[in-house]
Amino acid sequence: MSAAALELRGLKKSFGKAEIIRGIDLSIGKSERHAIIGPNGAGKSTLFNLITARFMPTAGTVKLHGQDLRGLQPYQINRMGLSRSFQITNIFPAMSVFENVRCALLWSQGYKYSFWNLVNNSRRLTEGADAILDQINLLERRNLPAGTLSYAEQRALEIGITIAGGADVIMLDEPTAGMSHSETDYITDLIMKVTEGKTLIMVEHDMGVVFGLADQISVLVYGEIIATGKPEDVRGDPKVQEAYLGAALEAEH
Ligand SMILES: Nc1ncnc2c1ncn2[C@@H]1O[C@H](COP(=O)(O)OP(=O)(O)OP(=O)(O)O)[C@@H](O)[C@H]1O
């Protein structure tokens, strides 16, 4: 049997005396779209930071394609095929849209920013960046400073930056936060398109997005996963209704 894309075993994280992640076991299959939902402060971002080695676990293991990530740096994990976005828009606003993506491509290949001039004319990089811009519907905006894009377009660019290195495990932290309904629909379609055939792990508060995109959902409450399963099973789970979903679905109306 082939290894899961991502496997967490006995994962814990404490800050001082506060135990924030309290023993998580989770397998995420290849090409699965997996949403992590739960109330504010449940530990979702902390879990993302543990998976990507921004935080050291207090206990437990994280495996990517069967390989233990212990002791690796975030950039090493990135080059093993895991790429994440952040809650806050994370682009270079003064650089052009195209340069933002090209920069991400360069970085993923291990070049330093100061080497730009050497590879300035690289057709391969230009074509690669344009192919990503095409995927995220920003080809027509390629020469504009990224900071002049609309908020939704900036988040789309950020998704482009996240996928630029060709990672097969994509982690998105609240990709539709702060968006209108139409922007949310736009970004949801985009995520669906760019994660085709890849593993997606997403933290998201918008239940429309979660139920529209996810093959599997895990519900995190006070640092523990209280349910994992198909959307219809999670939706009907009384434990989940009580701890989170009842309130979250009500908030949408
Ligand atoms: N570096 C840190 N040091 C101390 N406590 C932290 C740190 N990072 C997070 N916490 C605490 O861990 C808890 C979980 O925070 P986290 O941001 O992971 O929750 P979340 O589920 O992502 O919340 P939200 O949905 O609001 O983004 C919070 O009580 C937070 O204060």
Side-chain angles (χ1 to χ4, degrees):
M1 205 180 84
S2 66
L6 193 75
E7 183 139 11
L8 314 180
R9 287 287 161 250
L11 198 62
K12 294 186 179 180
K13 178 66 182 174
S14 298
F15 295 110
K17 286 191 179 151
E19 195 175 32
I20 301 299
I21 298 295
R22 302 193 294 153
I24 288 188
D25 295 301
L26 181 65
S27 277
I28 298 181
K30 286 182 180 143
S31 307
E32 180 176 308
R33 293 191 179 97
H34 197 114
I36 296 168
I37 64 173
N40 291 330
K44 301 180 296 297
S45 294
T46 304
L47 183 59
F48 258 42
N49 285 326
L50 288 171
I51 293 170
T52 55
R54 269 156 185 94
F55 291 161
M56 283 260 293
T58 309
T61 55
V62 178
K63 287 185 179 174
L64 177 66
H65 301 311
Q67 188 176 336
D68 196 332
L69 300 184
R70 192 188 317 244
L72 297 180
Q73 297 296 316
Y75 79 89
Q76 293 172 308
I77 295 170
N78 184 272
R79 288 188 191 141
M80 287 169 61
L82 184 148
S83 183
R84 75 171 284 188
S85 75
F86 291 85
Q87 257 179 34
I88 300 161
T89 306
N90 200 23
I91 59 173
F92 295 107
M95 280 179 10
S96 75
V97 170
F98 169 76
E99 281 163 350
N100 266 273
V101 175
R102 189 175 58 165
C103 164
L105 271 174
L106 278 170
W107 189 86
S108 72
Q109 291 168 14
Y111 294 98
K112 293 212 165 73
Y113 298 133
S114 55
F115 281 18
W116 274 9
N117 288 338
L118 293 176
V119 289
N120 217 13
N121 294 322
S122 160
R123 220 175 73 192
R124 197 166 49 84
L125 275 169
T126 302
E127 285 172 2
D130 280 341
I132 288 162
L133 291 177
D134 192 26
Q135 263 193 297
I136 58 174
N137 309 326
L138 288 179
L139 207 42
E140 285 177 9
R141 304 266 202 275
R142 86 192 276 284
N143 299 321
L144 295 175
T148 64
L149 296 177
S150 72
Y151 175 67
E153 286 172 335
Q154 289 190 26
R155 297 304 305 254
L157 175 57
E158 198 177 36
I159 289 171
I161 289 167
T162 308
I163 63 167
D168 58 0
V169 180
I170 306 291
M171 298 178 65
L172 301 179
D173 199 349
E174 298 196 29
T176 72
M179 286 186 189
S180 68
H181 283 303
S182 61
E183 288 173 330
T184 297
D185 289 346
Y186 171 74
I187 291 291
T188 305
D189 288 347
L190 194 79
I191 294 171
M192 197 67 145
K193 184 170 88 174
V194 303
T195 58
E196 189 65 49
K198 301 185 183 216
T199 306
L200 171 69
I201 307 161
M202 174 180 68
V203 167
E204 182 56 57
H205 283 286
D206 185 317
M207 290 305 115
V209 175
V210 168
F211 284 96
L213 269 176
D215 307 312
Q216 293 274 313
I217 298 175
S218 289
V219 186
L220 187 67
V221 179
Y222 293 120
E224 285 179 311
I225 290 182
I226 63 163
T228 294
K230 293 200 171 97
E232 58 273 23
D233 297 336
V234 167
R235 192 196 281 269
D237 185 328
K239 268 196 324 258
V240 177
Q241 286 285 341
E242 190 185 342
Y244 180 59
L245 219 43
L249 287 173
E250 245 167 54
E252 307 245 305
H253 299 293

